[in-house]
Amino acid sequence: MSAATAPTILAISVPVDEIPDLLIPAFFDTVIMVGIVMALVLVVGLPLGALVHNLAPGGLFENRALHTPLSWVISIGRSLPFLVLMTAIIPFTRLLTGTNIGIAAAVVPMSIAGIAFFTRIVENSLRSVPTEVIDVAKASGGSPYQIITAAQIPEALPNIVGGLTINTIAMIEYSTIAGTIGAGGLGYIAVTYGYQRFDHGVMIATIVALVITVAIIQVAGDALVRRLTPQRSSAFARR
């Protein structure tokens, strides 16, 4: 049987000169998918991380009754393997998007996982802010909102940007897993052609595209962190 199927496998292999036509649209699907997710992650995860940090003991508005359940919910979203999370919330995804396949369906579990991940990054980054900076901000008469936006976040910005870089790379990884539900992108190409059809040429090209993409994001993120690091003095304290 293997001999009979071998010609079929060879027959469905994509010619080398046609691989770019296959990968380029898939690459842009991945960019769109990850771009939408990271926009949601930044908009929701940054204030949520600041909220969790300041609800904790020693925070600006300490409240254990709110902090404990909120922290548990975030921990659950952060700890579940993405494939398990994606499968578990299929009914919720279908309720929001009307489908459980495609980019729209992938964005929902990716956003939940990404927000939980980034919230923890922001929370841990804010913990590293020296207490002296917060004391100066309080002595200057700043409100909690002013202290968060003008003292805590600017001081922790290099760590937050570094975490955002890691989070973006993780979302690229998750987008490839989402290819198993037909989400499109490079992951779908890898599953359809590399795994199901044993097309090694497409698989290698997909791996190279992913490695290059991740490397560019990592280099750009590291460069931005280095640029921000000398500016770690609090903007609030300089006023």
Side-chain angles (χ1 to χ4, degrees), residues 178-190:
T180 59
I181 62 169
L186 294 173
Y188 178 74
I189 297 298

Side-chain angles (χ1 to χ4, degrees), residues 90-138:
I90 283 178
F92 177 67
T93 300
R94 189 182 294 114
L95 177 65
L96 288 182
T97 65
T99 180
N100 60 348
I101 60 173
I103 291 178
V107 164
V108 176
M110 286 174 63
S111 297
I112 292 173
I115 289 169
F117 187 13
F118 190 56
T119 296
R120 285 303 185 204
I121 289 174
V122 173
E123 181 186 10
N124 291 331
S125 298
L126 294 180
R127 285 177 185 167
S128 67
V129 176
T131 56
E132 295 81 3
V133 174
I134 309 303
D135 292 340
V136 170
K138 289 180 179 178

Side-chain angles (χ1 to χ4, degrees), residues 157-169 212-230:
L157 194 56
N159 289 335
I160 292 174
V161 171
L164 190 63
T165 302
I166 295 172
N167 204 342
T168 304
I169 293 171
I212 292 174
T213 301
V214 168
I216 291 173
I217 293 172
Q218 187 67 65
V219 170
D222 289 346
L224 185 55
V225 169
R226 286 194 298 269
R227 182 164 183 167
L228 291 172
T229 299

Side-chain angles (χ1 to χ4, degrees), residues 73-98:
V73 170
I74 293 168
S75 295
I76 292 172
R78 176 67 189 94
S79 61
L80 285 177
F82 179 68
L83 188 58
V84 174
L85 174 64
M86 183 175 65
T87 305
I89 66 168
I90 283 178
F92 177 67
T93 300
R94 189 182 294 114
L95 177 65
L96 288 182
T97 65

Side-chain angles (χ1 to χ4, degrees), residues 186-212:
L186 294 173
Y188 178 74
I189 297 298
V191 170
T192 303
Y193 290 86
Y195 177 72
Q196 295 179 351
R197 302 186 184 182
F198 303 101
D199 191 328
H200 300 300
V202 173
M203 192 64 179
I204 292 171
T206 304
I207 291 171
V208 170
L210 288 169
V211 169
I212 292 174

